[in-house]
Amino acid sequence: MRSELRQLVDMTEDGKATSEDFAHAPLPETMTAVTVHRDEMDMFRGQAFQEKDPRRSLHVDEVPLPELAPDEALVAVMASAVNFNNVWTAIFEPAPGFHFLGEFAKFSEFNAKHNQDYHIPGGDAAGVVVRVGKAVTRWKPGDRVTVFGAVVDLASPEVYDDEVRDPYGRAWGFETNFGSFAHFTVVRQNQLLPKPEHLSWEEAASMPLVATTAYRMLVSKNGARMKQGENVLIWGASGGLGAFAIQLVLNGGGFPIGIVSSEKKAEVVRKLGCRDVIVLERKPGEDLFLDEYGHTRARQILRLKARIRKYTGGEDCDIVFEHTGRSTFAASVGVAKTGGRVVTCGSTSGYDHVFDNRYLWQTVKTIIGSHGANYFEAMQTARLICRGRLHPVLSRVFPLEKVSEAVSLMHKGQHVGKLGVLNIVPREGMGITDRERREHIGEAVLNRFRTPCFDSSAR
Ligand SMILES: NC(=O)c1ccc[n+]([C@@H]2O[C@H](COP(=O)([O-])OP(=O)(O)OC[C@H]3O[C@@H](n4cnc5c(N)ncnc54)[C@H](OP(=O)(O)O)[C@@H]3O)[C@@H](O)[C@H]2O)c1
């Protein structure tokens, strides 16, 4: 490990270094980063989704440290985590990330640095602030933080209603450069959240993106406003979003019903306390609820509805938690209760959704679009994490140099929960300072997804 990085780790671990010490700690001129390259953005042209291999497009490079804008902080990234938008970046879908970087660079002179011939992805991080710009007021060098992904323009009037409505809003590390798959990242001060001190760096880094997104979708006034006792159907229940949706539903007194594709994944989901899990096996690329012409298969949807009712004592779902997209959306609209809500933030299986609109209008259901979270929602989520009401669902951890392996597992759906990444820290388990809270919660709860019952090679 480079001497500058070792010094930062030592200062962070021993807990005696002051903010001044961090502000003056020597930094290297270059950093290791995982990147995609502009001159390769057509490499998968003509291939199907499953054929595009992230291990071919993700590289490990040495690049300069990014410059700081006045409202930005430079964070030494101790650990990070893999998200599905890293898959999109690595396979250059739905559009190459370089298009977003070019657009972002035009907004202001401070954004110009983002338009490089390499793109560092990554949308989750935990680390230490090592430098701050002159306009940063709330954070200082030495602060131990996690990072959440909304990059917004505070000059947009819309952000004062809801940041997510900002027409210039961008997702950090997906639509901006210098994401979390590097030794350092630059973020705006309103992306910073406190690090939960009962968690290790890799546990803390694994939560912000999916936890904040699920919080907005289910709990926030901008989402489904879940109430006690509601039935919530959760697609992809063993994945990152799904595992946090289950925790939020249980916290809020609701009844989660998870859907997964294998009994092994069902077993993991039950460990979260979700008793009712439906296994719907499917072949790669298969649409269970659409026929060969792309029309909805009403009978299949009714069958799913009947299976749900077995768990609920005959009730339908008040809320359907959607992100799986085209292949499930018709069912989501179909199985929601009269007056129910389908809340969606993504389209893993395709974004051109098809559904029978009679099941929406005649039964007065609502579809709610949701995207990331605003800073207030992110802070509310961080509070739940710090107070021990939302727990990590890490299943495996990879060194930074092996990020492409982790992204490939997610691309193939051969993971559960979250996949963590060690950026600067040399090993797992570092960074925990609140041992009392950790003991109170218990290792068993914090490690529920790290079980041998899931073999990533078998679905
Ligand atoms: N807009 C936002 O702010 C936002 C934020 C986070 C994520 N997202 C999007 O949400 C999606 C999920 O993210 P994630 O982090 O939870 O990913 P993830 O960890 O890969 O989990 C997704 C789960 O969906 C299930 N799935 C995939 N294809 C399916 C299909 N055709 N039918 C049924 N289930 C399917 C898989 O589980 P099984 O194998 O068990 O079916 C998988 O575990 C991604 O598309 C991501 O880009 C959007």
Side-chain angles (χ1 to χ4, degrees), residues 383-401:
R383 180 173 169 271
L384 290 175
I385 295 171
C386 290
R387 299 283 297 267
R389 283 288 164 92
L390 283 178
H391 305 300
V393 289
L394 256 188
S395 57
R396 289 179 65 182
V397 178
F398 296 75
L400 182 62
E401 291 74 15

Side-chain angles (χ1 to χ4, degrees), residues 18 23 41 58 65 90 109 137 196 208 223-224 226 229 262 274 320 394 431 437:
T18 64
M41 65 188 183
L58 289 167
L65 264 68
E109 64 176 285
T137 51
M226 193 198 81
S262 70
C274 179
V320 181
L394 256 188
R437 190 184 295 278

Side-chain angles (χ1 to χ4, degrees), residues 129-283:
V129 175
V130 288
R131 300 285 189 272
V132 291
K134 287 200 166 75
V136 172
T137 51
R138 302 271 178 116
W139 302 88
K140 58 183 187 322
D143 284 345
R144 297 152 66 91
V145 295
T146 59
V147 180
F148 108 104
V151 179
V152 297
D153 183 352
L154 294 179
S156 299
E158 292 86 349
V159 302
Y160 296 93
D161 178 29
D162 175 15
E163 273 171 74
V164 179
R165 288 185 50 213
D166 177 13
Y168 297 99
R170 293 291 178 266
W172 165 63
F174 179 54
E175 295 162 317
T176 75
N177 212 331
F178 309 114
S180 62
F181 292 154
H183 285 156
F184 296 88
T185 182
V186 274
V187 298
R188 301 212 172 146
Q189 66 167 331
N190 56 351
Q191 289 180 254
L192 294 173
L193 303 168
K195 174 185 176 286
E197 291 299 0
H198 63 290
L199 299 181
S200 66
W201 292 111
E202 64 278 6
E203 289 168 341
S206 70
M207 305 174 79
L209 193 147
V210 283
T212 58
T213 302
Y215 179 90
R216 179 181 172 100
M217 289 173 76
L218 287 172
V219 182
S220 165
K221 65 177 178 166
N222 295 307
R225 297 171 182 248
M226 193 198 81
K227 295 190 285 294
Q228 287 190 31
E230 290 198 309
N231 297 316
V232 184
L233 185 71
I234 298 166
W235 288 102
S238 72
L241 278 177
F244 281 97
I246 289 169
Q247 296 187 62
L248 288 164
V249 172
L250 290 171
N251 282 353
F255 299 106
I257 302 128
I259 300 190
V260 294
S261 62
S262 70
E263 187 48 45
K264 278 180 187 291
K265 289 190 174 185
E267 235 175 279
V268 179
V269 167
R270 288 189 197 104
K271 283 178 184 282
L272 283 177
C274 179
R275 280 186 321 176
D276 302 332
V277 188
I278 295 172
V279 178
L280 283 183
E281 286 179 16
R282 63 177 193 282
K283 299 189 187 85

